[in-house]
Amino acid sequence: MLRQHSANGVTYFTFPELTEYGLYHVIGSRVGGVSPEPFASLNVSVSVGDTAENVRENRRRLGEILGITPDQFVTAWMIHGNTVARVNGEHRGQRIPYCDALITDEPGVALFMTFADCVPIIVYDPTHKAVGLAHAGWRGTAAGVLQNTLHAMQQAFGSEARETVVAFGPSIGVCHYEVGPDVMEAFRLLGRATPAFQPGHEGHAYLDLVETNRRMARNAGVSQVLESKYCTACHTDVFFSHRAERGRTGRFGVLVMLA
Ligand SMILES: [Zn+2]
């Protein structure tokens, strides 16, 4: 379960278990920023129509929680794919093109991504002191972005899945995520994940993104999985939800950094 915090008016969350491991992380919300509707108010995405000035101030407020500035963030140009990029201090201030997961073993390198329904996934290896951050909507989930992240960390840092903690942040819950035949077919064809569907209206199903990714983690051998228990679409007072707000909304940020 997430723990809620407030700092200078900004509402954010942490996983107590990750904090105990010594991992710096901030799961942002939409509360405590400067942006107007429909980005009110802590939008941290430059791709939704908000001004660069607002986004910069909002990112500054998130970074301040960890004592860093946005020019230290390494972020990703996300494409709902399964590509993983290994980054280090040289990438500070950069937006890595065409990837949906970032991994590092370098302390002080802040991995940063933006979300509004897709699952934020933090992967932490306390043994080898390495961390990953991934973005998993249905496309990334079906394409195995979590599986690829675990594999990339194993290759790069020697991270064993059984020693790794996987934490799923706030994302759209099965209660709000009805999908059509195209999505069901994509999971069948790609076969990287065993999707968790519940019956929906005719020809449709409700997709449980977190449970689907939990199965992927379990199949990979991960023993410790943490969940936020927040559905973004149920809690649009706290989080942005692309689906619940029909595309006109902002993104909240997730920031992770090795101490
Ligand atoms: Zn919901």
Side-chain angles (χ1 to χ4, degrees):
M1 284 284 271
L2 288 176
R3 182 176 294 161
Q4 187 171 335
H5 310 263
S6 183
N8 298 322
V10 171
T11 296
Y12 70 99
F13 298 82
T14 56
F15 283 100
E17 296 89 344
L18 293 181
T19 303
E20 268 173 40
Y21 278 121
L23 180 68
Y24 291 156
H25 64 294
V26 172
I27 293 160
S29 72
R30 68 186 300 165
V31 180
V34 297
S35 300
E37 292 293 343
F39 315 116
S41 60
L42 193 62
N43 167 57
V44 291
S45 171
V46 291
S47 310
V48 292
D50 197 358
T51 69
E53 199 179 18
N54 288 343
V55 171
R56 174 136 192 110
E57 172 59 20
N58 290 337
R59 289 186 176 193
R60 191 193 65 75
R61 291 182 184 196
L62 267 196
E64 198 171 41
I65 296 164
L66 295 183
I68 58 174
T69 56
D71 54 18
Q72 292 173 264
F73 296 2
V74 182
T75 186
W77 190 299
M78 303 182 298
I79 53 165
H80 295 278
N82 62 6
T83 300
V84 184
R86 180 182 181 174
V87 300
N88 56 39
E90 289 171 20
H91 298 98
R92 283 197 188 97
Q94 291 184 25
R95 190 179 188 189
I96 310 300
Y98 313 127
C99 70
D100 285 84
L102 299 169
I103 61 172
T104 191
D105 66 347
E106 199 170 310
V109 174
L111 310 181
F112 180 74
M113 286 185 179
T114 64
F115 299 88
D117 291 344
C118 292
V119 189
I121 309 179
I122 299 172
V123 181
Y124 181 52
D125 170 6
T127 308
H128 299 89
K129 301 268 187 284
V131 71
L133 177 63
H135 162 258
W138 74 262
R139 287 186 180 84
T141 299
V145 68
L146 172 56
Q147 195 178 26
N148 284 10
T149 304
L150 290 164
H151 182 70
M153 287 178 66
Q154 203 258 329
Q155 295 285 304
F157 315 124
S159 302
E160 296 298 336
R162 66 175 184 281
E163 303 171 333
T164 297
V165 188
V166 170
F168 299 115
S171 51
I172 194 160
V174 67
C175 44
H176 272 99
Y177 202 38
E178 197 177 34
V179 297
D182 52 329
V183 175
M184 294 189 279
E185 180 69 359
F187 275 96
R188 199 182 63 77
L189 289 175
L190 286 165
R192 296 287 297 275
T194 309
F197 286 123
Q198 292 179 14
H201 298 96
E202 199 180 348
H204 290 61
Y206 287 91
L207 172 58
D208 190 332
L209 277 177
V210 168
E211 175 57 23
T212 303
N213 279 288
R214 174 195 273 278
R215 290 175 181 180
M216 191 177 288
R218 198 188 297 135
N219 288 343
V222 173
S223 51
Q224 192 175 3
V225 172
L226 309 174
E227 284 184 32
S228 82
K229 307 286 185 196
Y230 275 101
C231 166
T232 43
C234 284
H235 295 95
T236 51
D237 54 330
V238 186
F239 300 105
F240 297 108
S241 171
H242 186 266
R243 178 168 285 206
E245 300 174 273
R246 297 173 190 279
R248 279 186 47 79
T249 190
R251 302 286 183 270
F252 61 91
V254 174
L255 197 51
V256 294
M257 185 173 81
L258 295 167

